[in-house]
Amino acid sequence: MDRAAGAAPHEKASDRRLRSGSHSVQRATSRYDAALATSRRVSYPAGLLGGHVRVAPHWSPADSGPGARRRSLAYTDLMAVFYPPNTMSQPTVSDAPFECAQDEGASAAGESDVAEGLASWEPTLKRAISSIVSIKAQCVRSFDTETSGTYTATGFVVDERAGLILSNRHVVNPAPVVAQAVFANYEEVELQPVYRDPVHDFGFFRFDPSKLRFMTPEAIRLAPHKAKVGMEIRVVGNDAGEKLSILAGTLARLDRAAPEYGTGEYNDFNTFYLQAASGTSGGSSGSPVLDIYGDAVALNAGGSSKAASSFYLPLNRIVRALDLVRRGQPVPRGTIQAEFEHLPYDELRRLGLDIRIETQMRDAFPASQGMLAVRAVQPGGPADGILRAGDIVIALNGRPVVDFVAFEDIADSSVGGAVAVSVWRGDKAYDTRIGVGDMEAITPHQFVEVGGGIVNEVSYQIARSYGIPVGGVYVASSGHVLGSGSAWRGSVIQSIGGTATPNLAGFVQAFGALRDGGRVPIKFFALAQPHKLKVAVMSVTTHWHAMRMATRDMKTGEWVYRKLNAPPRLPQDIAPQAASLGRLPASLAPGDRVWPSVVFLDFHCPYLVDGMKNTQFLGPGFIVDKDRGYIVCDRDTVPISIGDVYITIASSIVVAGRVDFLHPV
């Protein structure tokens, strides 16, 4: 159920940050030496150690005795934290950290606190736990890749003044949700989703800080540049439904491909993920991945069901989005509708990469072990017909690019324009220009409720999963009207009643022209079989549900409803119709006399009440009074009185009926 490179000023901030950290190390070491020197001069009272004892002036860890062993362990712990072992140089998430200058002093102070505590996780976790919340949420409408239901997750405060909580996209949810956050002292506040990324697995909730009466949480600092292979981490959150769990791990990879959660589900792409064997499970989504200084180095997003591996989203793109959300500004997201993958140089050589290009890239980016290659191009997108699968990206706008962060930094700053793309294809280099579209424009922000069902436009997520163009009307929930035509969830509607439905506006216009109680053809295809068009007859009944359109306010995250004009319910004008019935053989003469009285009943439930698990029931009935039009059937065919019934006579004439009597037993 999982991202921007900084400019020169941020590089300088990083240099200052590293120097500040080294000074704190020196200060902490000096304090330890001073404390040790003081202990050599202090005489302890006899009541404490059973005599007048003076510490040896030239003590070393090699000295024997329990006290010496305790001092040796303390000294070893100090060295393990402030003088970490050298590790092999690994590609980091970003060469230039995307951090704010005002956070540097806070981080240095935090490291000093840890230094004074001799590198213990206890004070770090004590501070962090007050800022980590358990999230209870209910998705109230099926929408896009999401289905309605309840779930629990985790989030953490990233701005205590603005009341911003960071969590995953699949927690914040693109669909309408009702959510609450429970803090460590069991205070509960309402949450309002304010932003979710169109592709990457992160989003922000907002709460009212004034609603917290008994605690004041501190924001957890985001430090994407600190992620390193071999770093000890703690994942703190609502793991497996528990209010608080603390899971330990060690970062093993910084360049893992984004995890795949299944076709038709939400999936992240065009980003690296971090990996560690922390064994997270359901409920831990949105947990901070903390270092020993209490900074978040990544965001927990998912895990493997067959191993202890957990997958964390890097924070680079999150830091950028947080800064814009704080200022109340939109978050630009550009796309050329192509998916990329990071391949090592040995695989790139098989794609034809020239050794001279590889040499130049290795010299320019010594920490990187590969480059980006095109994995797939979205049909109908800006890159369709320009890029091909297997193309190797060399540069964007003349700037060499080897990772996702740099690529997205250029794309996000070019929305509505174009980028110059240099690629290597086969044995030649090609230069081209590709338009950059707005990713939010191909991410649905509207849906229509009709006949108990929900439809929205085909999103970038859905289109990518099935390799179809973005656009069209997607059935997120069929309800009893669309379900009567077998247009179930996962269908894309092409036309209704002979009127094309290329988008949501076309669907509203086509459906509004129908008559309540009528039966019209509906043309659609299932996403699992996009090349197989289906045509069915749909029963139009809108008197059970209002027809409404919901639109998401991009600034506040609220969904605003607008009532639509539903098809009118007019008196049914039934013209006399003739039909013929085949005769049964003479051996079935008694049945031949009953045969004209047999009808076929199609019953549709608008609501799942009274224990109903299905919305459609089929069965036979018998005409018992042709003058008054009474038909008798069993309760398996018409289980409840709430619903619409359609009667088929002589296998050709279909009329609407109603339930006049239902036996209570």
Side-chain angles (χ1 to χ4, degrees):
M1 287 174 143
D2 34 11
R3 305 163 182 192
H10 299 109
E11 294 174 0
K12 294 179 180 178
S14 175
D15 295 339
R16 291 195 302 270
R17 168 83 171 90
L18 294 175
R19 288 197 298 270
S20 175
S22 64
H23 291 330
S24 65
V25 170
Q26 295 172 2
R27 289 195 300 269
T29 308
S30 300
R31 283 195 297 270
Y32 181 86
D33 293 337
L36 187 61
T38 302
S39 67
R40 294 169 182 160
R41 297 192 302 267
V42 173
S43 299
Y44 294 93
L48 291 178
L49 299 178
H52 195 74
V53 180
R54 188 180 298 273
V55 179
H58 300 290
W59 174 87
S60 69
D63 293 339
S64 59
R69 175 171 175 79
R70 283 194 296 271
R71 288 188 294 273
S72 174
L73 291 177
Y75 186 79
T76 302
D77 289 344
L78 181 71
M79 295 297 293
V81 173
F82 293 109
Y83 300 94
N86 293 325
T87 58
M88 182 181 298
S89 176
Q90 296 288 336
T92 59
V93 178
S94 172
D95 293 332
F98 208 124
E99 63 179 56
C100 300
Q102 59 265 29
D103 292 334
E104 297 171 10
S107 177
E111 293 181 10
S112 298
D113 294 341
V114 175
E116 292 174 1
L118 294 181
S120 170
W121 280 97
E122 182 179 353
T124 297
L125 295 175
K126 184 178 180 180
R127 289 195 309 269
I129 286 173
S130 64
S131 302
I132 299 172
V133 299
S134 175
I135 296 175
K136 303 182 296 182
Q138 180 178 9
C139 179
V140 297
R141 295 289 188 275
S142 296
F143 177 71
D144 196 23
T145 58
E146 309 303 315
T147 56
S148 58
T150 60
Y151 56 91
T152 59
T154 306
F156 60 99
V157 178
V158 290
D159 191 324
E160 69 276 15
R161 294 183 179 179
L164 292 177
I165 290 177
L166 172 64
S167 190
N168 290 129
R169 179 190 190 271
H170 66 267
V171 177
V172 177
N173 215 309
V177 296
V178 177
Q180 300 84 33
V182 182
F183 282 81
N185 66 342
Y186 292 93
E187 285 193 82
E188 185 172 313
V189 294
E190 294 291 328
L191 297 179
Q192 177 65 43
V194 292
Y195 177 77
R196 52 91 196 95
D197 192 84
V199 170
H200 299 322
D201 201 4
F202 75 91
F204 297 102
F205 286 107
R206 189 188 301 276
F207 70 95
D208 186 354
S210 65
K211 300 295 183 181
L212 290 177
R213 300 182 178 180
F214 304 102
M215 70 176 298
T216 303
E218 296 181 6
I220 294 178
R221 199 179 80 101
L222 305 183
H225 63 284
K226 297 177 70 175
K228 298 290 187 295
V229 170
M231 171 185 284
E232 290 294 325
I233 57 169
R234 296 293 186 271
V235 182
V236 185
N238 177 22
D239 189 67
E242 300 293 338
K243 183 178 182 297
L244 182 66
S245 294
I246 301 173
L247 304 176
T250 304
L251 288 182
R253 292 185 62 183
L254 305 180
D255 58 354
R256 188 196 189 280
E260 289 282 344
Y261 299 118
T263 303
E265 304 293 332
Y266 163 73
N267 290 287
D268 202 348
F269 57 95
N270 286 350
T271 182
F272 286 129
Y273 265 67
L274 282 59
Q275 177 183 330
S278 58
T280 57
S281 59
S284 62
S285 293
S287 299
V289 180
L290 302 175
D291 68 357
I292 198 167
Y293 304 112
D295 294 335
V297 299
L299 177 67
N300 184 48
S304 173
S305 60
K306 298 181 180 180
S309 297
S310 299
F311 311 129
Y312 314 132
L313 178 67
L315 300 178
N316 303 80
R317 307 308 293 171
I318 300 178
V319 172
R320 168 183 176 269
L322 174 60
D323 181 57
L324 293 171
V325 171
R326 277 172 173 162
R327 293 183 284 167
Q329 298 180 1
V331 182
R333 296 289 280 113
T335 179
I336 60 174
Q337 295 189 35
E339 183 180 353
F340 300 89
E341 58 183 338
H342 191 269
L343 297 179
Y345 284 112
D346 59 339
E347 294 189 27
L348 294 174
R349 293 188 209 106
R350 299 188 186 102
L351 294 176
L353 181 64
D354 189 272
I355 188 64
R356 293 171 296 177
I357 301 294
E358 178 181 344
T359 302
Q360 293 175 6
M361 288 299 188
R362 285 183 179 272
D363 291 341
F365 303 96
S368 179
Q369 304 301 320
M371 298 169 62
L372 298 180
V374 178
R375 181 181 181 185
V377 178
Q378 195 69 28
D384 190 19
I386 301 177
L387 297 182
R388 300 178 186 175
D391 287 351
I392 303 171
V393 179
I394 300 176
L396 263 68
N397 289 341
R399 170 183 167 186
V401 169
V402 296
D403 58 36
F404 296 107
V405 174
F407 190 102
E408 286 201 342
D409 183 37
I410 297 174
D412 290 347
S413 60
S414 305
V415 177
V419 291
V421 183
S422 300
V423 299
W424 186 272
R425 180 184 299 167
D427 58 353
K428 296 181 180 179
Y430 295 87
D431 295 325
T432 185
R433 291 187 67 83
I434 303 177
V436 180
D438 185 358
M439 198 178 295
E440 292 289 356
I442 55 175
T443 301
H445 304 286
Q446 289 181 324
F447 63 84
V448 172
E449 295 181 354
V450 54
I454 293 176
V455 295
N456 59 263
E457 293 193 4
V458 175
S459 67
Y460 189 18
Q461 284 283 336
I462 293 293
R464 171 189 170 271
S465 289
Y466 293 95
I468 63 174
V470 176
V473 179
Y474 171 75
V475 180
S477 177
S478 59
H480 72 286
V481 173
L482 297 175
S484 67
S486 299
W488 310 114
R489 174 179 169 84
S491 301
V492 178
I493 300 174
Q494 300 285 288
S495 67
I496 294 178
T499 303
T501 56
N503 48 40
L504 208 57
F507 175 87
V508 172
Q509 183 177 0
F511 201 90
L514 304 178
R515 180 179 63 83
D516 188 10
R519 289 167 59 84
V520 298
I522 178 173
K523 183 186 293 185
F524 62 94
F525 66 85
L527 286 171
Q529 298 175 312
H531 304 294
K532 184 178 180 181
L533 282 177
K534 301 179 181 180
V535 179
V537 177
M538 180 183 70
S539 302
V540 182
T541 53
T542 59
H543 52 275
W544 296 107
H545 301 86
M547 186 173 176
R548 305 186 298 175
M549 174 179 284
T551 303
R552 183 177 182 271
D553 189 320
M554 298 300 292
K555 292 184 178 180
T556 64
E558 296 180 349
W559 289 85
V560 181
Y561 274 90
R562 176 169 62 91
K563 189 174 182 180
L564 301 176
N565 294 325
R569 185 171 180 83
L570 302 175
Q572 189 174 14
D573 185 14
I574 303 177
Q577 302 179 57
S580 61
L581 288 171
R583 302 300 298 270
L584 297 179
S587 60
L588 299 176
D592 191 50
R593 292 193 297 271
V594 178
W595 183 243
S597 301
V598 179
V599 297
F600 179 76
L601 301 178
D602 184 5
F603 184 78
H604 296 266
C605 297
Y607 308 105
L608 294 178
V609 297
D610 200 17
M612 294 294 102
K613 296 182 179 180
N614 297 316
T615 59
Q616 186 177 17
F617 298 85
L618 307 172
F622 300 93
I623 299 175
V624 294
D625 190 330
K626 66 178 182 179
D627 295 328
R628 297 183 178 181
Y630 281 119
I631 297 172
V632 65
C633 67
D634 57 29
R635 288 274 308 255
D636 284 339
T637 303
V638 181
I640 59 177
S641 59
I642 301 176
D644 299 300
V645 59
Y646 296 91
I647 306 165
T648 304
I649 303 172
S651 301
S652 58
I653 302 174
V654 180
V655 296
R658 69 173 186 268
V659 180
D660 273 4
F661 174 76
L662 191 71
H663 196 279
V665 178

